[in-house]
Amino acid sequence: MSIEPILTMLNNLEQLHISLLRLSNDKTALLKSGDIDGIDQLLKDEQAHLAAIVQMDQNRVNAVKQYLTEQGSPVPAEPTMTQLIELADEPDKQPLAEAKDRLLHAIHALKQQNELNQQMTYQSLQFVNLSLDMIRPRPESVNYSKNEVQGQSQEAKQKLSSFDSQA
């Protein structure tokens, strides 16, 4: 087996991550505008992308295992890109390293964008909670303790009895 199928899968993974990054950028705009329906649809699109990424990565793992087996190299249970590059034939190392770097760059950019979206979502929730606190009436102590009830009834009796005596 040549390294080409693995390179193709890495390129496809990179494209999926870049596409997911575009969705994440769109999510930022939707969060700013407060478009809940748009965010809902975008979350569904993200889930589809994530499922495709998981499937593609599993295919990559299987292809790497097959490649290493055919090369007579030891096959780790979950081979990483670094392990593949170390065990690959010399002419295959450079294209694999470049594909790995491009994929890592896309993943890093996606991670940064997701962190921004997470912060924006958290701030939106804080704003909603603050707004709710401002419009929600603050109940004063509705429950009375036994002493307060007894004390008030004694005062009421005293006032009533003094009123009665003056009448």
Side-chain angles (χ1 to χ4, degrees), residues 117-131:
N117 288 344
Q118 183 179 10
Q119 289 171 356
M120 288 178 66
T121 302
Y122 180 73
Q123 289 172 354
S124 294
L125 288 172
Q126 284 182 320
F127 178 75
V128 168
N129 284 333
L130 177 67
S131 299

Side-chain angles (χ1 to χ4, degrees), residues 22-43 46 112-128:
R22 276 189 227 111
L23 288 177
S24 190
N25 288 329
D26 292 345
K27 186 191 291 183
T28 302
L30 292 172
L31 285 169
K32 287 178 182 177
S33 69
D35 183 359
I36 302 300
D37 292 332
I39 293 172
D40 187 45
Q41 180 58 46
L42 196 128
L43 290 173
E46 281 183 338
Q112 286 181 323
Q113 190 63 40
N114 281 338
E115 286 173 357
L116 173 65
N117 288 344
Q118 183 179 10
Q119 289 171 356
M120 288 178 66
T121 302
Y122 180 73
Q123 289 172 354
S124 294
L125 288 172
Q126 284 182 320
F127 178 75
V128 168

Side-chain angles (χ1 to χ4, degrees), residues 3 10 19 32 35 42 58 63 69 72 75-76 84-85 110 113 116 119 123 134 148:
I3 203 75
L10 290 173
S19 179
K32 287 178 182 177
D35 183 359
L42 196 128
Q58 186 57 49
T69 300
V75 180
L84 173 63
I85 293 168
L110 178 61
Q113 190 63 40
L116 173 65
Q119 289 171 356
Q123 289 172 354
M134 291 175 70
E148 288 175 320

Side-chain angles (χ1 to χ4, degrees), residues 30-96:
L30 292 172
L31 285 169
K32 287 178 182 177
S33 69
D35 183 359
I36 302 300
D37 292 332
I39 293 172
D40 187 45
Q41 180 58 46
L42 196 128
L43 290 173
K44 292 174 185 172
D45 294 343
E46 281 183 338
Q47 289 300 317
H49 273 72
L50 291 173
I53 288 171
V54 168
Q55 181 63 46
M56 182 64 63
D57 194 54
Q58 186 57 49
N59 292 344
R60 178 201 57 86
V61 168
N62 293 336
V64 168
K65 286 180 180 180
Q66 182 181 353
Y67 173 82
L68 293 176
T69 300
E70 290 177 6
Q71 297 294 351
S73 300
V75 180
E78 290 291 322
T80 65
M81 287 301 302
T82 303
Q83 291 169 329
L84 173 63
I85 293 168
E86 289 172 2
L87 297 171
D89 293 335
E90 196 57 44
D92 295 333
K93 290 184 182 206
Q94 182 65 29
L96 285 170

